[in-house]
Amino acid sequence: MDETAEKAKNSKSGRTGGAALGLAAMLLASALTVPAAAADLSSARTLVPVGHTVGIKLFSRGVLVVKLAEGNTPARACGLTAGDVIVQCAGNPITSTEQFQSLLQDAAGESAKLEVRRGSKLLDLSVTADDNDGDGKFAIGAWIRDSMAGIGTMTFYDPESNTFGALGHGVTDVDTAALMPFSSGSILPSTVKTVKRGETGAAGELKGNFDMTVDTGDLYANTAGGVFGTLTDQELMERLGDKALPVAENDQVHTGKATILANVDGDTVKEYEIEITKILSTDPAGRNLLITVTDPELLEKTGGIVQGMSGSPILQDGRLAGAVTHVLLGDPTRGYGLLIRNMLKNT
């Protein structure tokens, strides 16, 4: 869903605070190298549909400007805007909010050059932090963020390359809708504890636990079609490896009955009935399918589609057809899906 994150790191020019993040879509340059095997996924003939929730831990490349403080602040004066990504300060690559604050402290009120990414453009700005609060800490008056953690669903696993895809959309900041600029990340084991049912006008949510100290896979990309990575948990790979299905071509997916795999209770993945009510488009970056949950058990448990189900694989005619991506807030029984071939194009 658009908002499935559970935890985040947020600061005002380096001062810590709290805020939630969301999951959505886009692609920025990654500091990691994509495995060569991942490039072959777009032509994959079979993949293992998964449907289990995973914890997602993501660290940004640079720091994201979430919002600016009111008044005539150094951030406003230098031209920063919400959604900007500060990638360098005084010639130093930015790796965290704490490091950025340390660099501002080192400048001690002197002008510091910033390299800022705004959309596809790189800008050179200069900022002079001030000690407006009189506490000896220099700040620029901007709330910034460098990481997130949340729950989503793994869509597929490829036994030949040990790669996986999840979410069906990218990871973005809930406040700005800007992509969390990707540097590195991982997935973690997750168990669903409770469900907040979806209601008209209010999205439901899967609430679960995940261990931030245990990684089962490494992320290498955050794209319009989801997050992608490589599994590192040998036991999990063996458990998933013998359940592959054919991958549907776009023209093989049609309106009518289908199912999804979802993990909405504990550690159990079950298959639930849905209806593909309309093929909206075949745009790789768009919402391709309009779907309706028809399964009485899932409707009773969740009210339909809820946050955390993003990435639930859609199955039709014995094939992996797509992934759940969004819920309609006006009707939680309905939502959108991405065609699996379009998801794979983003790898």
Side-chain angles (χ1 to χ4, degrees):
M1 292 355 355
D2 280 331
E3 302 173 9
T4 60
E6 299 259 328
K7 300 178 182 177
K9 196 173 183 181
N10 183 49
S11 73
K12 186 177 182 179
S13 290
R15 295 167 191 162
T16 57
L21 296 183
L23 305 181
M26 274 183 69
L27 171 66
L28 284 185
S30 168
L32 300 183
T33 301
V34 179
D40 297 329
L41 281 180
S42 62
S43 59
R45 294 190 177 186
T46 63
L47 292 171
V48 178
V50 180
H52 201 291
T53 58
V54 290
I56 296 173
K57 182 169 59 176
L58 186 147
F59 298 95
S60 67
R61 179 176 178 265
V63 293
L64 176 68
V65 178
V66 177
K67 65 178 179 179
L68 304 183
E70 296 297 325
N72 185 23
T73 63
R76 289 183 183 275
C78 81
L80 281 171
T81 64
D84 285 348
V85 180
I86 303 171
V87 294
Q88 285 194 23
C89 177
N92 299 283
I94 301 302
T95 58
S96 69
T97 58
E98 291 86 358
Q99 182 229 14
F100 181 57
Q101 182 181 3
S102 178
L103 292 170
L104 295 178
Q105 288 294 114
D106 291 345
E110 298 294 326
S111 177
K113 292 184 178 180
L114 303 179
E115 183 176 292
V116 175
R117 185 181 296 278
R118 182 175 296 166
S120 60
K121 298 179 180 179
L122 279 178
L123 307 176
D124 291 321
L125 305 177
S126 293
V127 69
T128 303
D130 61 28
D131 181 16
N132 192 51
D133 296 336
D135 57 3
K137 295 181 180 179
F138 289 88
I140 63 173
W143 289 91
I144 57 177
R145 195 170 283 150
D146 66 7
S147 61
M148 64 77 62
I151 290 177
T153 297
M154 186 184 294
T155 307
F156 68 82
Y157 165 63
D158 177 23
E160 292 189 6
S161 61
N162 291 333
T163 53
F164 65 87
L167 295 182
H169 56 61
V171 178
T172 64
D173 180 81
V174 69
D175 294 312
T176 65
L179 182 78
M180 287 297 290
F182 182 76
S183 173
S184 63
S186 58
I187 59 167
L188 324 161
S190 170
T191 301
V192 176
K193 296 298 184 183
T194 60
V195 177
K196 177 185 174 184
R197 293 184 80 255
E199 299 178 356
T200 301
E205 181 182 5
L206 300 180
K207 297 183 178 182
N209 294 339
F210 53 92
D211 187 345
M212 293 288 287
T213 66
V214 179
D215 293 342
T216 57
D218 298 321
L219 297 179
Y220 59 72
N222 176 32
T223 81
V227 296
F228 301 90
T230 304
L231 286 186
T232 56
D233 185 325
Q234 188 63 40
E235 182 180 346
L236 178 59
M237 288 186 276
E238 291 175 358
R239 195 160 66 241
L240 295 175
D242 60 351
K243 304 172 184 177
L245 288 180
V247 176
E249 300 297 337
N250 284 353
D251 61 5
Q252 291 177 315
V253 182
H254 56 85
T255 57
K257 292 184 178 182
T259 60
I260 62 172
L261 297 178
N263 169 207
V264 299
D265 187 14
D267 216 25
T268 303
V269 175
K270 295 185 68 174
E271 190 169 5
Y272 300 100
E273 295 179 352
I274 67 166
E275 185 94 5
I276 298 177
T277 56
K278 190 173 184 179
I279 308 296
L280 298 171
S281 77
T282 56
D283 183 350
R287 298 178 181 182
N288 303 148
L289 310 173
L290 185 62
I291 62 175
T292 300
V293 175
T294 58
D295 195 286
E297 182 181 352
L298 187 58
L299 290 171
E300 175 65 25
K301 182 73 175 178
T302 67
I305 300 168
V306 298
Q307 297 172 16
M309 287 172 63
S310 286
S312 293
I314 299 171
L315 311 180
Q316 189 180 58
D317 300 334
R319 303 183 184 96
L320 175 57
V324 175
T325 59
H326 299 81
V327 63
L328 285 171
L329 288 180
D331 181 359
T333 67
R334 304 169 70 207
Y336 296 105
L338 178 70
L339 290 162
I340 190 63
R341 284 295 176 189
N342 289 348
M343 183 175 181
L344 295 178
K345 288 177 182 177
N346 288 276
T347 62

